[in-house]
Each structure stands twice: as C-alpha cells, then as structure tokens.
Amino acid sequence: QVQLVETGGGLVQPGGSLRLSCAASGNIISIDIMGWWRQAPGQRRELVADITSGNTRNYARPVKGRFTISRDNADNTVHLQMNSLQPDDTAVYYCKAVGVLTKDRRGGSTIWGNGTLVTVSS
C-alpha cells in the first residue's frame, strides 16, 4: 500500500519560513502529479501548488511568489519551501499524489497524506 508522510510543519512568526517535505513509500513505479493542499479551520481544502513528473509547476494566487514547490522523481519526494509566511497561511497542509502506478494495482490511484500543521502567529 502506498503511503505519503508529511514533515516540516510547526509554529513560525509572520515573515518567517518553513520547508515542508513529503515522502511517498511503497512499491511505486511512477507518480504523475504531486501537490500540496491546505485546509484552515472552517474552510474548504484548497490547492496550494502542484508539480508534474516533468516539473511543470502550478501555484495558487495567494502563495505565488512566496512558495516554491519541487520534487525528486527518483525517490518520489516533493517539497514546499514557504517564505514570507502570513497568518492567513495557517492551516493543515496535505500532500497529494495523483496517477500513482504500482505493481499490484491496475491503473493510477490518488493518495493523500495525513497532513502537517503550519501555524503562523506572533
């Protein structure tokens, strides 16, 4: 079974930085898209950024210019460098993998991690 584990969350002051990481484990052949989503209290889960296996990047408007997403296809990891953090960035951040191909599954599947909490507060 494929599993995604997020790390790097924590408490930072406004203007600070954090780097989130997500590692996919299991008998993985390839992953089409990896991305980060977030959900603040009382809000809907929203896309933050995603990246294809060919390194095409997409960012949500609120984070464009402040966050940078990257991935390593060799070890199926994805990172999110978050700079100039603001209180509105406070949320649980979830890693998502789309088009996950494994030796024991027919067709691609979508997998979510359990999330890591980012709190931006003074």
Side-chain angles (χ1 to χ4, degrees), residues 8-12 18 20 116-120:
L11 174 64
V12 297
L18 283 175
L20 305 183
T116 184
L117 177 63
V118 172
T119 302
V120 185

Side-chain angles (χ1 to χ4, degrees), residues 4-16:
L4 304 180
V5 178
E6 304 99 331
T7 58
L11 174 64
V12 297
Q13 296 185 19

Side-chain angles (χ1 to χ4, degrees), residues 45-80:
R45 190 174 299 185
E46 63 180 14
L47 175 68
V48 178
D50 59 24
I51 182 170
T52 70
S53 60
N55 288 113
T56 298
R57 296 169 170 83
N58 178 53
Y59 297 95
R61 181 178 178 182
V63 308
K64 190 174 183 180
R66 299 187 297 120
F67 292 8
T68 302
I69 190 170
S70 61
R71 68 182 286 175
D72 185 346
N73 295 334
D75 59 5
N76 293 311
T77 60
V78 63
H79 303 92
L80 186 69

